[in-house]
Amino acid sequence: MEHAEGDLMIPMDVDLQDPFELIFEMLTAYEKGADVVLARRANRETDTVVKRFSAQWFYRLNNKMSTLKLEENVGDFRLMTRKVVNEIVSLQENQLFMKGLMSWVGFETTVVNYSRPGRTEGKTKFNYIKLWNWLYRESRLFQPCL
């Protein structure tokens, strides 16, 4: 994010499963005044049962424990204006829970829904061990304050 140039930033997963054509909907939402446009998966049919369960568990647990509510089924695929990107970069965080940081900074946010097609090439490198380690690490970042 520190090296991004321009007025808008749209991060995408490197596996390119997110549909490029959704960017046009995101731009329309931006033109209507949104500083952040979240791309929310309408369903998780292409995910394994374990992945669907762990995602559901993660969002429910986070949204129960934290005052910071995360929009469910939203990944890194989103549109952000320069002022949002600058705010995130200025935080100088070293524990990068990007979904949390991107939500925490606020700004006018809207959501566009989409269906993610199944993977057509290759296989995911994100196995159950990596998923567990990621969930464990992320859950430790948002411990309830007493």
Side-chain angles (χ1 to χ4, degrees), residues 3-31:
H3 305 289
E5 297 179 9
D7 296 333
L8 300 173
M9 179 179 170
I10 303 175
M12 296 179 76
D13 290 342
V14 296
D15 62 10
L16 302 178
Q17 279 186 274
D18 299 316
F20 287 101
E21 56 273 9
L22 191 64
I23 292 173
F24 297 110
E25 280 186 61
M26 295 169 136
L27 289 170
T28 299
Y30 159 72
E31 290 168 350

PDB file of all heavy atoms in Angstrom, residues 3-31:
ATOM      1  N   HIS A   3       3.405   1.870  -1.625  1.00  0.00           N
ATOM      2  CA  HIS A   3       3.934   2.177  -2.945  1.00  0.00           C
ATOM      3  C   HIS A   3       2.846   2.397  -3.989  1.00  0.00           C
ATOM      4  O   HIS A   3       3.156   2.654  -5.149  1.00  0.00           O
ATOM      5  CB  HIS A   3       4.877   1.056  -3.395  1.00  0.00           C
ATOM      6  CG  HIS A   3       5.969   0.791  -2.412  1.00  0.00           C
ATOM      7  ND1 HIS A   3       7.008   1.678  -2.206  1.00  0.00           N
ATOM      8  CD2 HIS A   3       6.162  -0.229  -1.542  1.00  0.00           C
ATOM      9  CE1 HIS A   3       7.802   1.191  -1.261  1.00  0.00           C
ATOM     10  NE2 HIS A   3       7.310   0.044  -0.850  1.00  0.00           N
ATOM     11  N   ALA A   4       1.597   2.272  -3.587  1.00  0.00           N
ATOM     12  CA  ALA A   4       0.493   2.469  -4.536  1.00  0.00           C
ATOM     13  C   ALA A   4       0.425   3.930  -4.948  1.00  0.00           C
ATOM     14  O   ALA A   4       0.599   4.826  -4.132  1.00  0.00           O
ATOM     15  CB  ALA A   4      -0.823   2.045  -3.892  1.00  0.00           C
ATOM     16  N   GLU A   5       0.166   4.142  -6.207  1.00  0.00           N
ATOM     17  CA  GLU A   5       0.027   5.493  -6.738  1.00  0.00           C
ATOM     18  C   GLU A   5      -1.386   5.656  -7.281  1.00  0.00           C
ATOM     19  O   GLU A   5      -2.073   4.687  -7.534  1.00  0.00           O
ATOM     20  CB  GLU A   5       1.051   5.722  -7.845  1.00  0.00           C
ATOM     21  CG  GLU A   5       2.481   5.639  -7.352  1.00  0.00           C
ATOM     22  CD  GLU A   5       3.486   5.841  -8.471  1.00  0.00           C
ATOM     23  OE1 GLU A   5       3.091   6.217  -9.584  1.00  0.00           O
ATOM     24  OE2 GLU A   5       4.671   5.609  -8.218  1.00  0.00           O
ATOM     25  N   GLY A   6      -1.808   6.889  -7.473  1.00  0.00           N
ATOM     26  CA  GLY A   6      -3.117   7.140  -8.063  1.00  0.00           C
ATOM     27  C   GLY A   6      -4.160   7.457  -7.016  1.00  0.00           C
ATOM     28  O   GLY A   6      -3.902   7.442  -5.808  1.00  0.00           O
ATOM     29  N   ASP A   7      -5.354   7.742  -7.479  1.00  0.00           N
ATOM     30  CA  ASP A   7      -6.451   8.153  -6.601  1.00  0.00           C
ATOM     31  C   ASP A   7      -7.214   6.988  -5.999  1.00  0.00           C
ATOM     32  O   ASP A   7      -7.898   7.149  -4.991  1.00  0.00           O
ATOM     33  CB  ASP A   7      -7.428   9.040  -7.374  1.00  0.00           C
ATOM     34  CG  ASP A   7      -6.783  10.337  -7.832  1.00  0.00           C
ATOM     35  OD1 ASP A   7      -5.828  10.793  -7.168  1.00  0.00           O
ATOM     36  OD2 ASP A   7      -7.214  10.880  -8.866  1.00  0.00           O
ATOM     37  N   LEU A   8      -7.136   5.816  -6.621  1.00  0.00           N
ATOM     38  CA  LEU A   8      -7.864   4.637  -6.155  1.00  0.00           C
ATOM     39  C   LEU A   8      -6.929   3.446  -6.080  1.00  0.00           C
ATOM     40  O   LEU A   8      -5.970   3.346  -6.839  1.00  0.00           O
ATOM     41  CB  LEU A   8      -9.011   4.299  -7.114  1.00  0.00           C
ATOM     42  CG  LEU A   8     -10.071   5.356  -7.325  1.00  0.00           C
ATOM     43  CD1 LEU A   8     -11.025   4.921  -8.426  1.00  0.00           C
ATOM     44  CD2 LEU A   8     -10.824   5.645  -6.039  1.00  0.00           C
ATOM     45  N   MET A   9      -7.261   2.524  -5.163  1.00  0.00           N
ATOM     46  CA  MET A   9      -6.497   1.285  -5.042  1.00  0.00           C
ATOM     47  C   MET A   9      -7.492   0.137  -4.960  1.00  0.00           C
ATOM     48  O   MET A   9      -8.482   0.220  -4.216  1.00  0.00           O
ATOM     49  CB  MET A   9      -5.633   1.307  -3.787  1.00  0.00           C
ATOM     50  CG  MET A   9      -4.833   0.046  -3.601  1.00  0.00           C
ATOM     51  SD  MET A   9      -3.827   0.172  -2.110  1.00  0.00           S
ATOM     52  CE  MET A   9      -3.260  -1.504  -1.982  1.00  0.00           C
ATOM     53  N   ILE A  10      -7.231  -0.935  -5.716  1.00  0.00           N
ATOM     54  CA  ILE A  10      -8.080  -2.121  -5.681  1.00  0.00           C
ATOM     55  C   ILE A  10      -7.182  -3.342  -5.521  1.00  0.00           C
ATOM     56  O   ILE A  10      -6.662  -3.870  -6.499  1.00  0.00           O
ATOM     57  CB  ILE A  10      -8.947  -2.249  -6.957  1.00  0.00           C
ATOM     58  CG1 ILE A  10      -9.804  -1.006  -7.145  1.00  0.00           C
ATOM     59  CG2 ILE A  10      -9.815  -3.512  -6.882  1.00  0.00           C
ATOM     60  CD1 ILE A  10     -10.602  -0.973  -8.425  1.00  0.00           C
ATOM     61  N   PRO A  11      -6.961  -3.786  -4.286  1.00  0.00           N
ATOM     62  CA  PRO A  11      -6.164  -5.004  -4.090  1.00  0.00           C
ATOM     63  C   PRO A  11      -6.978  -6.242  -4.484  1.00  0.00           C
ATOM     64  O   PRO A  11      -8.196  -6.270  -4.311  1.00  0.00           O
ATOM     65  CB  PRO A  11      -5.861  -5.003  -2.594  1.00  0.00           C
ATOM     66  CG  PRO A  11      -6.885  -4.129  -1.979  1.00  0.00           C
ATOM     67  CD  PRO A  11      -7.364  -3.180  -3.031  1.00  0.00           C
ATOM     68  N   MET A  12      -6.289  -7.227  -5.043  1.00  0.00           N
ATOM     69  CA  MET A  12      -6.926  -8.491  -5.441  1.00  0.00           C
ATOM     70  C   MET A  12      -6.033  -9.641  -5.020  1.00  0.00           C
ATOM     71  O   MET A  12      -4.813  -9.492  -4.950  1.00  0.00           O
ATOM     72  CB  MET A  12      -7.112  -8.544  -6.959  1.00  0.00           C
ATOM     73  CG  MET A  12      -8.047  -7.509  -7.516  1.00  0.00           C
ATOM     74  SD  MET A  12      -8.189  -7.642  -9.316  1.00  0.00           S
ATOM     75  CE  MET A  12      -9.249  -9.079  -9.446  1.00  0.00           C
ATOM     76  N   ASP A  13      -6.641 -10.792  -4.784  1.00  0.00           N
ATOM     77  CA  ASP A  13      -5.859 -11.993  -4.504  1.00  0.00           C
ATOM     78  C   ASP A  13      -5.086 -12.387  -5.760  1.00  0.00           C
ATOM     79  O   ASP A  13      -5.575 -12.217  -6.884  1.00  0.00           O
ATOM     80  CB  ASP A  13      -6.770 -13.148  -4.094  1.00  0.00           C
ATOM     81  CG  ASP A  13      -7.391 -12.938  -2.725  1.00  0.00           C
ATOM     82  OD1 ASP A  13      -6.872 -12.098  -1.965  1.00  0.00           O
ATOM     83  OD2 ASP A  13      -8.393 -13.606  -2.416  1.00  0.00           O
ATOM     84  N   VAL A  14      -3.908 -12.946  -5.575  1.00  0.00           N
ATOM     85  CA  VAL A  14      -3.055 -13.282  -6.709  1.00  0.00           C
ATOM     86  C   VAL A  14      -3.575 -14.461  -7.520  1.00  0.00           C
ATOM     87  O   VAL A  14      -3.134 -14.681  -8.643  1.00  0.00           O
ATOM     88  CB  VAL A  14      -1.592 -13.549  -6.270  1.00  0.00           C
ATOM     89  CG1 VAL A  14      -0.974 -12.305  -5.691  1.00  0.00           C
ATOM     90  CG2 VAL A  14      -1.512 -14.709  -5.305  1.00  0.00           C
ATOM     91  N   ASP A  15      -4.526 -15.232  -6.984  1.00  0.00           N
ATOM     92  CA  ASP A  15      -5.050 -16.360  -7.754  1.00  0.00           C
ATOM     93  C   ASP A  15      -6.050 -15.916  -8.820  1.00  0.00           C
ATOM     94  O   ASP A  15      -6.510 -16.713  -9.622  1.00  0.00           O
ATOM     95  CB  ASP A  15      -5.660 -17.419  -6.838  1.00  0.00           C
ATOM     96  CG  ASP A  15      -6.847 -16.917  -6.036  1.00  0.00           C
ATOM     97  OD1 ASP A  15      -7.352 -15.805  -6.294  1.00  0.00           O
ATOM     98  OD2 ASP A  15      -7.281 -17.649  -5.128  1.00  0.00           O
ATOM     99  N   LEU A  16      -6.400 -14.632  -8.831  1.00  0.00           N
ATOM    100  CA  LEU A  16      -7.274 -14.026  -9.834  1.00  0.00           C
ATOM    101  C   LEU A  16      -8.651 -14.687  -9.927  1.00  0.00           C
ATOM    102  O   LEU A  16      -9.274 -14.697 -10.977  1.00  0.00           O
ATOM    103  CB  LEU A  16      -6.587 -14.019 -11.208  1.00  0.00           C
ATOM    104  CG  LEU A  16      -5.248 -13.279 -11.256  1.00  0.00           C
ATOM    105  CD1 LEU A  16      -4.643 -13.382 -12.648  1.00  0.00           C
ATOM    106  CD2 LEU A  16      -5.397 -11.828 -10.839  1.00  0.00           C
ATOM    107  N   GLN A  17      -9.153 -15.208  -8.824  1.00  0.00           N
ATOM    108  CA  GLN A  17     -10.498 -15.775  -8.810  1.00  0.00           C
ATOM    109  C   GLN A  17     -11.572 -14.691  -8.754  1.00  0.00           C
ATOM    110  O   GLN A  17     -12.699 -14.938  -9.135  1.00  0.00           O
ATOM    111  CB  GLN A  17     -10.677 -16.721  -7.622  1.00  0.00           C
ATOM    112  CG  GLN A  17     -10.110 -18.084  -7.843  1.00  0.00           C
ATOM    113  CD  GLN A  17     -10.464 -19.004  -6.687  1.00  0.00           C
ATOM    114  OE1 GLN A  17      -9.756 -19.038  -5.695  1.00  0.00           O
ATOM    115  NE2 GLN A  17     -11.545 -19.718  -6.821  1.00  0.00           N
ATOM    116  N   ASP A  18     -11.234 -13.528  -8.248  1.00  0.00           N
ATOM    117  CA  ASP A  18     -12.221 -12.453  -8.164  1.00  0.00           C
ATOM    118  C   ASP A  18     -12.459 -11.878  -9.558  1.00  0.00           C
ATOM    119  O   ASP A  18     -11.507 -11.621 -10.296  1.00  0.00           O
ATOM    120  CB  ASP A  18     -11.734 -11.364  -7.207  1.00  0.00           C
ATOM    121  CG  ASP A  18     -11.530 -11.892  -5.807  1.00  0.00           C
ATOM    122  OD1 ASP A  18     -12.405 -12.641  -5.325  1.00  0.00           O
ATOM    123  OD2 ASP A  18     -10.507 -11.568  -5.191  1.00  0.00           O
ATOM    124  N   PRO A  19     -13.715 -11.676  -9.931  1.00  0.00           N
ATOM    125  CA  PRO A  19     -14.018 -11.237 -11.303  1.00  0.00           C
ATOM    126  C   PRO A  19     -13.662  -9.772 -11.558  1.00  0.00           C
ATOM    127  O   PRO A  19     -14.121  -8.878 -10.847  1.00  0.00           O
ATOM    128  CB  PRO A  19     -15.526 -11.467 -11.414  1.00  0.00           C
ATOM    129  CG  PRO A  19     -16.035 -11.434 -10.011  1.00  0.00           C
ATOM    130  CD  PRO A  19     -14.916 -11.920  -9.137  1.00  0.00           C
ATOM    131  N   PHE A  20     -12.856  -9.545 -12.586  1.00  0.00           N
ATOM    132  CA  PHE A  20     -12.444  -8.187 -12.951  1.00  0.00           C
ATOM    133  C   PHE A  20     -13.647  -7.291 -13.252  1.00  0.00           C
ATOM    134  O   PHE A  20     -13.624  -6.100 -12.971  1.00  0.00           O
ATOM    135  CB  PHE A  20     -11.533  -8.205 -14.184  1.00  0.00           C
ATOM    136  CG  PHE A  20     -10.159  -8.730 -13.910  1.00  0.00           C
ATOM    137  CD1 PHE A  20      -9.815 -10.020 -14.254  1.00  0.00           C
ATOM    138  CD2 PHE A  20      -9.214  -7.932 -13.304  1.00  0.00           C
ATOM    139  CE1 PHE A  20      -8.547 -10.510 -14.002  1.00  0.00           C
ATOM    140  CE2 PHE A  20      -7.934  -8.402 -13.051  1.00  0.00           C
ATOM    141  CZ  PHE A  20      -7.601  -9.698 -13.398  1.00  0.00           C
ATOM    142  N   GLU A  21     -14.685  -7.865 -13.858  1.00  0.00           N
ATOM    143  CA  GLU A  21     -15.842  -7.049 -14.253  1.00  0.00           C
ATOM    144  C   GLU A  21     -16.553  -6.402 -13.054  1.00  0.00           C
ATOM    145  O   GLU A  21     -17.262  -5.426 -13.217  1.00  0.00           O
ATOM    146  CB  GLU A  21     -16.828  -7.851 -15.106  1.00  0.00           C
ATOM    147  CG  GLU A  21     -17.336  -9.117 -14.488  1.00  0.00           C
ATOM    148  CD  GLU A  21     -16.464 -10.351 -14.733  1.00  0.00           C
ATOM    149  OE1 GLU A  21     -15.336 -10.225 -15.263  1.00  0.00           O
ATOM    150  OE2 GLU A  21     -16.906 -11.439 -14.354  1.00  0.00           O
ATOM    151  N   LEU A  22     -16.320  -6.910 -11.857  1.00  0.00           N
ATOM    152  CA  LEU A  22     -16.913  -6.306 -10.663  1.00  0.00           C
ATOM    153  C   LEU A  22     -16.324  -4.916 -10.403  1.00  0.00           C
ATOM    154  O   LEU A  22     -16.953  -4.090  -9.749  1.00  0.00           O
ATOM    155  CB  LEU A  22     -16.702  -7.214  -9.447  1.00  0.00           C
ATOM    156  CG  LEU A  22     -17.492  -6.852  -8.196  1.00  0.00           C
ATOM    157  CD1 LEU A  22     -18.992  -6.978  -8.447  1.00  0.00           C
ATOM    158  CD2 LEU A  22     -17.073  -7.714  -7.036  1.00  0.00           C
ATOM    159  N   ILE A  23     -15.165  -4.666 -10.922  1.00  0.00           N
ATOM    160  CA  ILE A  23     -14.529  -3.356 -10.740  1.00  0.00           C
ATOM    161  C   ILE A  23     -15.432  -2.239 -11.269  1.00  0.00           C
ATOM    162  O   ILE A  23     -15.495  -1.157 -10.697  1.00  0.00           O
ATOM    163  CB  ILE A  23     -13.125  -3.331 -11.392  1.00  0.00           C
ATOM    164  CG1 ILE A  23     -12.193  -4.264 -10.607  1.00  0.00           C
ATOM    165  CG2 ILE A  23     -12.567  -1.916 -11.448  1.00  0.00           C
ATOM    166  CD1 ILE A  23     -10.826  -4.468 -11.236  1.00  0.00           C
ATOM    167  N   PHE A  24     -16.174  -2.498 -12.345  1.00  0.00           N
ATOM    168  CA  PHE A  24     -17.081  -1.478 -12.883  1.00  0.00           C
ATOM    169  C   PHE A  24     -18.180  -1.130 -11.882  1.00  0.00           C
ATOM    170  O   PHE A  24     -18.538   0.037 -11.716  1.00  0.00           O
ATOM    171  CB  PHE A  24     -17.671  -1.924 -14.220  1.00  0.00           C
ATOM    172  CG  PHE A  24     -16.627  -2.095 -15.289  1.00  0.00           C
ATOM    173  CD1 PHE A  24     -16.300  -3.357 -15.751  1.00  0.00           C
ATOM    174  CD2 PHE A  24     -15.947  -0.999 -15.807  1.00  0.00           C
ATOM    175  CE1 PHE A  24     -15.326  -3.521 -16.725  1.00  0.00           C
ATOM    176  CE2 PHE A  24     -14.970  -1.149 -16.775  1.00  0.00           C
ATOM    177  CZ  PHE A  24     -14.659  -2.419 -17.238  1.00  0.00           C
ATOM    178  N   GLU A  25     -18.712  -2.128 -11.174  1.00  0.00           N
ATOM    179  CA  GLU A  25     -19.704  -1.867 -10.116  1.00  0.00           C
ATOM    180  C   GLU A  25     -19.079  -1.090  -8.966  1.00  0.00           C
ATOM    181  O   GLU A  25     -19.695  -0.209  -8.381  1.00  0.00           O
ATOM    182  CB  GLU A  25     -20.288  -3.174  -9.586  1.00  0.00           C
ATOM    183  CG  GLU A  25     -21.357  -3.779 -10.447  1.00  0.00           C
ATOM    184  CD  GLU A  25     -21.992  -4.985  -9.777  1.00  0.00           C
ATOM    185  OE1 GLU A  25     -22.579  -4.827  -8.680  1.00  0.00           O
ATOM    186  OE2 GLU A  25     -21.882  -6.087 -10.353  1.00  0.00           O
ATOM    187  N   MET A  26     -17.840  -1.447  -8.637  1.00  0.00           N
ATOM    188  CA  MET A  26     -17.138  -0.740  -7.571  1.00  0.00           C
ATOM    189  C   MET A  26     -16.947   0.735  -7.938  1.00  0.00           C
ATOM    190  O   MET A  26     -17.146   1.615  -7.105  1.00  0.00           O
ATOM    191  CB  MET A  26     -15.775  -1.389  -7.301  1.00  0.00           C
ATOM    192  CG  MET A  26     -15.853  -2.792  -6.766  1.00  0.00           C
ATOM    193  SD  MET A  26     -14.202  -3.544  -6.810  1.00  0.00           S
ATOM    194  CE  MET A  26     -14.163  -4.323  -5.226  1.00  0.00           C
ATOM    195  N   LEU A  27     -16.577   0.985  -9.173  1.00  0.00           N
ATOM    196  CA  LEU A  27     -16.391   2.372  -9.626  1.00  0.00           C
ATOM    197  C   LEU A  27     -17.697   3.151  -9.590  1.00  0.00           C
ATOM    198  O   LEU A  27     -17.718   4.331  -9.224  1.00  0.00           O
ATOM    199  CB  LEU A  27     -15.787   2.393 -11.031  1.00  0.00           C
ATOM    200  CG  LEU A  27     -14.327   1.958 -11.121  1.00  0.00           C
ATOM    201  CD1 LEU A  27     -13.902   1.793 -12.575  1.00  0.00           C
ATOM    202  CD2 LEU A  27     -13.418   2.946 -10.399  1.00  0.00           C
ATOM    203  N   THR A  28     -18.797   2.504  -9.928  1.00  0.00           N
ATOM    204  CA  THR A  28     -20.109   3.151  -9.860  1.00  0.00           C
ATOM    205  C   THR A  28     -20.429   3.536  -8.424  1.00  0.00           C
ATOM    206  O   THR A  28     -20.891   4.654  -8.156  1.00  0.00           O
ATOM    207  CB  THR A  28     -21.202   2.232 -10.429  1.00  0.00           C
ATOM    208  OG1 THR A  28     -20.897   1.955 -11.792  1.00  0.00           O
ATOM    209  CG2 THR A  28     -22.571   2.859 -10.329  1.00  0.00           C
ATOM    210  N   ALA A  29     -20.164   2.635  -7.472  1.00  0.00           N
ATOM    211  CA  ALA A  29     -20.397   2.932  -6.053  1.00  0.00           C
ATOM    212  C   ALA A  29     -19.498   4.066  -5.585  1.00  0.00           C
ATOM    213  O   ALA A  29     -19.918   4.932  -4.815  1.00  0.00           O
ATOM    214  CB  ALA A  29     -20.182   1.676  -5.213  1.00  0.00           C
ATOM    215  N   TYR A  30     -18.255   4.070  -6.040  1.00  0.00           N
ATOM    216  CA  TYR A  30     -17.321   5.151  -5.713  1.00  0.00           C
ATOM    217  C   TYR A  30     -17.850   6.484  -6.243  1.00  0.00           C
ATOM    218  O   TYR A  30     -17.829   7.489  -5.535  1.00  0.00           O
ATOM    219  CB  TYR A  30     -15.938   4.835  -6.295  1.00  0.00           C
ATOM    220  CG  TYR A  30     -15.044   6.036  -6.458  1.00  0.00           C
ATOM    221  CD1 TYR A  30     -14.487   6.668  -5.353  1.00  0.00           C
ATOM    222  CD2 TYR A  30     -14.786   6.554  -7.721  1.00  0.00           C
ATOM    223  CE1 TYR A  30     -13.670   7.784  -5.510  1.00  0.00           C
ATOM    224  CE2 TYR A  30     -13.974   7.662  -7.884  1.00  0.00           C
ATOM    225  CZ  TYR A  30     -13.423   8.280  -6.779  1.00  0.00           C
ATOM    226  OH  TYR A  30     -12.629   9.380  -6.934  1.00  0.00           O
ATOM    227  N   GLU A  31     -18.327   6.501  -7.466  1.00  0.00           N
ATOM    228  CA  GLU A  31     -18.847   7.728  -8.066  1.00  0.00           C
ATOM    229  C   GLU A  31     -20.074   8.258  -7.328  1.00  0.00           C
ATOM    230  O   GLU A  31     -20.382   9.440  -7.390  1.00  0.00           O
ATOM    231  CB  GLU A  31     -19.158   7.504  -9.545  1.00  0.00           C
ATOM    232  CG  GLU A  31     -17.889   7.341 -10.369  1.00  0.00           C
ATOM    233  CD  GLU A  31     -18.131   6.841 -11.776  1.00  0.00           C
ATOM    234  OE1 GLU A  31     -19.269   6.428 -12.107  1.00  0.00           O
ATOM    235  OE2 GLU A  31     -17.166   6.857 -12.562  1.00  0.00           O
TER     236      GLU A  31
END
